[in-house]
Amino acid sequence: MSSARLRHAASRARPLSPLFAGKKLEGLPIIVVFIALIAVFTALAPHVFLRWPIYDSFLVTIPPLLIISLGLTLVIAAGEIDLSFPAVIQFSGFLFAFCSLQLGLPWLGLIAALLGGALVGFVNGILVAVVGVPSIIITIGTSFFWSGVATVLCGGLSYALPGLENTPIANIFAGKLLGVPAEAFWALGVAVLGWFVLNRHRFGEHLLFIGDSRSVAEVLGINVRRERIKLFTLMGVITGFASFMLTIQNLNYFATQGQGTLLSALAGVFIGGSSVFGGSATMVGSVFGALIIGMLEAGIVATGVAGFWVEVIVGLVFIVAVVLHIAVESPASLDQLRRRLAVRGPRPDQATKEEIP
Amino acid sequence: MTSGQALPQPAYTNIVEAEKLCVSFGPVQALTDIDLAIGKNDIVGLIGDNGAGKSTLIKALTGVVRPSSGRLYIRDQPVDLGRYSVRKAHALRFETVYQEKSLGEKQPLWRNFFAGRQIVNRFGFINVREQRRIANEILQSHLGFRGVGIDADSTVANLSGGERQGIAIGRAMHFDADLIILDEPTTALAIKEVQKVLDFVRWIKESGRAAIYIEHNLAHVHALADRLVVLDRGRIAASVRPAELSLDALTRFLIDLQQPKAGIAA
Ligand SMILES: Nc1ncnc2c1ncn2[C@@H]1O[C@H](COP(=O)(O)OP(=O)(O)OP(=O)(O)O)[C@@H](O)[C@H]1O
Ligand SMILES: [Mg+2]
């Protein structure tokens, strides 16, 4: 029997490096940043951050973008990117508003929003996986296209939807449960499901392998083409849902909705620690990344810093978070940096032996 | 686990047979009119120059590359080439250790052993505990590679070249197959590990299975194979039994092949 023949003679163990000894908590660096941020905000504006209302408003405003970040996490795990989701926010939101207002069928509107997102995503998927255009290029194109389609369809007009107030659909998706905004529960649900899909489902594993190397995935028998089409379609559906949520919580469809979300949603994912190169991504990281991005603006304003500092601080937090990830994930690269800095300009207390005559 | 149990008596003569198989990559014709039959207990050594088409041939046989024309029979049954895939080849009990990368770099071993054929429940969720357990078992029982201290959670990126090769071989051993294809399995290995691979090929023979064994070390293939198939620029240049051709004669034959004129004369 082969196993007997190939059995290893000795079992001398190579000690694991201490870094790999314990399992790391997923998303730990970003959770630290998140807690630090809350602490800073609370210290600077206790009257705001020690009371519930600010959190209540966070739990309303953050979920749509957070849900999109979760979808993007899957896309980025596969080494792809989707820049067309702002257009889906516009397009799917219109479909929902149209069905609700003109047809009086909000539930049909929800389905239309999801299907509209699926259509956009499916087209992206075909263009990426079958035609072979890099997703970063083609989703710029489809973004213009679907945003244009939405603008043509709505005639550039916004739709007020006051009639939906207190309807079952509004209460289920944008009401309150136990005093907490319903959106928060939906976001949590999508996050948990997303975590299981990425980390425990066959589909998520296929995405990770595709992100790692497409040719390896093919050799392993993964249907790369089909999985990528599925991925983009799913991303469209998730964005369609987020757009529906945004529209129903505002009781309004804005012809410009979705604009300005592109960088925020992507920032949430990358702050969270997912790799732009694909093959590794973290749902927990994306949740906290999106929370941080969503909190920053309101938080900074509440602390009394002038509003135009917001972007400076967002940029700083982004850079700190990303560097922190590198420090935790690959300490070697930071060691190298430290050594290089030490050689160039040693502080007196760090002078190396060679430099002491 | 690869077991020594008697396999069900196969009711076929050839595990795989290619007939006038051609493969082209755009304008490049990598394989031309390949006729090759592999019996149910044949060890076929596939040799030839770099770029002769050896890897391409096994990729065509395992569904990675789609032939441009020709026919393929598996267990004497014709295969629909348009629908043939790696997945089908796995289901038909073919296992391959590919020459180039076949492991996900950033993924742990428990994923790498099973990617493409995970142990899942009916909703498609992976049984991580079971995959981990089996992965550790494979690491302990099949693999003697120096990577003790490697476990199911180790990431491929942290392994040496030989360790990776070992993982790919262990994976092929685990999924008990009727045809095992080894594409230069010993290139990255130290002598001791090479011996283990050679033992593995012998075991394939003894246990009644078939193998395609690609190897540049002529002494190894000459000693192990039932038949040697020489590929030259995408065509089969010769198919001989080792008994009919000494190692020296084989070496000379291959060197002569490289002279432009002598190629077809053989
Ligand atoms: N995906 C591909 N696209 C284009 N050409 C390819 C591709 N794969 C292989 N080829 C070409 O087909 C020919 C045969 O390649 P193959 O990998 O089968 O050679 P080989 O016999 O395995 O060589 P080696 O001993 O170096 O591994 C080569 O000329 C190679 O350039
Ligand atoms: Mg090769």
Side-chain angles (χ1 to χ4, degrees):
Chain A
M1 210 188 120
S2 68
S3 48
R5 282 201 180 151
L6 290 173
R7 200 180 297 278
H8 195 265
S11 54
R12 65 212 123 95
R14 182 170 73 188
L16 289 169
S17 91
L19 206 91
F20 297 105
K23 260 182 227 155
K24 280 176 273 179
L25 181 63
E26 186 181 340
L28 184 60
I30 197 61
I31 294 176
V32 170
V33 172
F34 176 76
I35 293 171
L37 215 60
I38 296 254
V40 169
F41 283 151
T42 309
L44 294 178
H47 54 289
V48 177
F49 281 90
L50 288 178
R51 296 203 189 129
W52 176 245
I54 183 103
Y55 299 103
D56 189 275
S57 92
F58 284 154
L59 293 180
V60 171
T61 54
I62 295 176
L65 214 59
L66 191 148
I67 288 171
I68 291 173
S69 289
L70 296 169
L72 272 176
T73 307
L74 294 175
V75 176
I76 281 163
E80 303 287 347
I81 198 138
D82 184 354
L83 303 176
S84 69
F85 62 85
V88 176
I89 298 178
Q90 221 181 329
F91 181 61
S92 284
F94 166 77
L95 294 177
F96 170 68
F98 180 84
C99 292
S100 303
L101 201 67
Q102 309 286 9
L103 310 178
L105 297 169
W107 287 99
L108 181 72
L110 169 57
I111 293 168
L114 299 180
L115 287 180
L119 172 68
V120 178
F122 182 73
V123 171
N124 284 341
I126 295 287
L127 289 167
V128 170
V130 180
V131 182
V133 196
S135 54
I136 191 168
I137 294 172
I138 202 61
T139 56
I140 292 177
T142 56
S143 183
F144 276 111
F145 179 80
W146 293 106
S147 168
V149 168
T151 308
V152 169
L153 289 176
C154 73
L157 299 174
S158 296
Y159 284 52
L161 305 164
L164 288 179
E165 197 160 7
N166 273 323
T167 54
I169 192 169
N171 289 334
I172 290 172
F173 291 99
K176 293 254 184 205
L177 184 66
L178 309 168
V180 177
E183 291 94 322
F185 292 101
W186 286 100
L188 185 67
V190 176
V192 170
L193 194 66
W195 188 90
F196 275 98
V197 167
L198 178 63
N199 297 297
R200 289 293 176 263
H201 198 271
R202 188 169 41 196
F203 177 61
E205 181 166 297
H206 289 172
L207 297 181
L208 289 168
F209 274 85
I210 291 170
D212 221 322
S213 159
R214 231 177 280 157
S215 60
V216 167
E218 251 153 30
V219 156
L220 293 176
I222 293 168
N223 191 334
V224 174
R225 177 178 297 188
R226 194 188 59 198
E227 299 298 60
R228 288 162 96 203
I229 295 174
K230 263 179 17 193
L231 168 66
F232 280 97
T233 308
L234 178 65
M235 176 62 197
V237 172
I238 291 173
T239 312
F241 179 66
S243 170
F244 152 77
M245 178 179 280
L246 187 73
T247 311
I248 201 160
Q249 70 181 194
N250 289 332
L251 293 176
N252 207 322
Y253 167 72
F254 297 100
T256 56
Q257 76 183 32
Q259 285 178 15
T261 56
L262 182 65
L263 289 180
S264 309
L266 285 171
V269 177
F270 291 123
I271 282 185
S274 294
S275 163
V276 72
F277 303 111
S280 102
T282 155
M283 284 287 172
V284 176
S286 293
V287 167
F288 283 94
L291 286 175
I292 289 173
I293 290 291
M295 274 176 26
L296 272 177
E297 182 164 8
I300 294 165
V301 173
T303 55
V305 178
F308 40 75
W309 278 94
V310 168
E311 293 200 335
V312 174
I313 297 172
V314 171
L316 273 179
V317 170
F318 187 103
I319 293 164
V320 167
V322 173
V323 171
L324 204 59
H325 282 301
I326 293 181
V328 173
E329 301 297 326
S330 57
S333 66
L334 232 65
D335 275 355
Q336 249 169 18
L337 181 71
R338 207 175 306 134
R339 233 169 289 138
R340 222 173 285 158
L341 289 178
V343 170
R344 286 214 186 123
R347 298 206 314 258
D349 56 319
Q350 284 183 336
T352 50
K353 258 188 190 164
E354 294 84 27
E355 281 153 333
I356 299 168
Chain B
M1 288 279 87
T2 323
S3 64
Q5 297 162 15
L7 297 169
Q9 272 308 306
Y12 55 86
T13 36
N14 291 328
I15 177 79
V16 63
E17 182 178 356
E19 208 179 275
K20 295 232 169 307
L21 205 68
C22 299
V23 173
S24 45
F25 298 107
V28 182
Q29 178 107 7
L31 291 177
T32 311
D33 292 340
I34 299 294
D35 289 309
L36 177 68
I38 295 170
K40 67 168 184 263
N41 190 21
D42 265 358
I43 307 291
V44 172
L46 196 55
I47 48 188
D49 288 352
N50 294 122
K54 306 179 296 295
S55 296
T56 306
L57 175 55
I58 61 153
K59 282 182 183 164
L61 297 181
T62 55
V64 180
V65 162
R66 184 154 297 175
S68 44
S69 65
R71 272 180 296 279
L72 192 63
Y73 300 87
I74 294 177
R75 293 188 183 77
D76 305 332
Q77 302 299 312
V79 169
D80 179 355
L81 284 175
R83 309 176 73 196
Y84 191 49
S85 66
V86 176
R87 208 170 263 273
K88 286 249 167 68
H90 284 159
L92 288 164
R93 296 165 63 83
F94 287 12
E95 271 308 317
T96 315
V97 177
Y98 292 98
Q99 178 182 16
E100 59 279 314
K101 291 199 313 162
S102 64
L103 300 171
E105 283 281 308
K106 299 181 190 169
Q107 313 309 324
L109 296 182
W110 64 263
R111 286 195 191 276
N112 266 296
F113 279 122
F114 295 95
R117 43 190 157 163
Q118 300 88 340
I119 303 172
V120 293
N121 68 12
R122 85 187 116 122
F123 302 109
F125 286 97
I126 300 169
N127 186 338
V128 177
R129 179 183 302 207
E130 184 69 359
Q131 288 198 180
R132 261 212 190 93
R133 187 184 69 71
I134 297 176
N136 275 322
E137 209 172 287
I138 298 173
L139 286 167
Q140 279 158 22
S141 61
H142 289 315
L143 302 171
F145 298 90
R146 213 159 281 113
V148 194
I150 295 176
D151 65 12
D153 289 298
S154 308
T155 309
V156 173
N158 297 335
L159 304 183
S160 77
E163 287 165 347
R164 285 167 206 224
Q165 191 89 325
I167 299 295
I169 295 171
R171 180 168 63 187
M173 291 168 76
H174 168 71
F175 291 98
D176 188 20
D178 294 337
L179 173 67
I180 296 160
I181 300 172
L182 301 162
D183 192 350
E184 301 187 29
T186 60
T187 33
L189 303 182
I191 298 177
K192 239 197 309 185
E193 274 71 39
V194 170
Q195 287 308 319
K196 288 174 189 152
V197 173
L198 300 182
D199 282 346
F200 176 45
V201 177
R202 281 186 205 105
W203 172 82
I204 294 173
K205 176 71 183 174
E206 284 160 17
S207 63
R209 294 163 170 84
I212 301 177
Y213 181 31
I214 301 180
E215 177 67 76
H216 284 298
N217 184 324
L218 294 181
H220 288 162
V221 255
H222 193 270
L224 287 173
D226 297 316
R227 195 148 50 90
L228 297 167
V229 173
V230 182
L231 267 186
D232 181 39
R233 281 159 283 176
R235 292 171 188 273
I236 291 184
S239 172
V240 291
R241 300 178 156 282
E244 298 163 359
L245 195 68
S246 73
L247 184 55
D248 282 345
L250 176 66
T251 312
R252 237 171 299 121
F253 175 76
L254 284 172
I255 291 169
D256 286 346
L257 265 186
Q258 288 167 22
Q259 321 298 329
K261 277 179 192 163
I264 317 296

